[in-house]
Amino acid sequence: MSVPRTVRFAAFAAAVGAVLLLGSGPAQAADGTVGTRETVCAQDLFVRTEPVGAWMGTLYKGQTFLVESKQSGWAYGFAYGNINRRGWVQDGWFC
């Protein structure tokens, strides 16, 4: 006895959905919150002198950044880790 095509499709769709849910991994990166020392989720995150400015160092996944202010998709604050100075990073790369 053969299984109807709609039943096979429904079973396939359910299996794909389960795999996607199980394989989704950790939470996606998020925007920083002013006044919060955020953890970097990106593999590397450039610290700049101003938004889209000169590169002055790199924060790596797991290092932290204290968000002091935000402006048009950028966050200003103190970069801990191997940089240890204030600068700008692109917002949206924090855990």
Side-chain angles (χ1 to χ4, degrees):
M1 180 171 156
S2 90
V3 177
R5 176 177 263 166
T6 55
V7 173
R8 287 186 301 199
F9 178 77
F12 174 76
V16 168
V19 168
L20 290 174
L21 284 175
L22 292 174
S24 64
Q28 298 297 314
D31 289 341
T33 302
V34 174
T36 302
R37 186 171 172 174
E38 302 281 4
T39 301
V40 174
C41 277
Q43 289 298 319
D44 49 40
L45 183 60
F46 294 155
V47 181
R48 300 182 178 275
T49 56
E50 60 187 338
V52 196
W55 172 89
M56 58 189 259
T58 303
L59 284 170
Y60 296 98
K61 188 172 188 168
Q63 291 184 323
T64 57
F65 184 84
L66 175 60
V67 179
E68 296 176 3
S69 67
K70 294 171 61 169
Q71 171 187 324
S72 303
W74 291 85
Y76 175 80
F78 192 84
Y80 291 87
N82 57 339
I83 299 172
N84 289 317
R85 58 182 152 174
R86 285 185 169 73
W88 290 88
V89 297
Q90 195 173 30
D91 200 9
W93 296 102
F94 303 112
C95 298

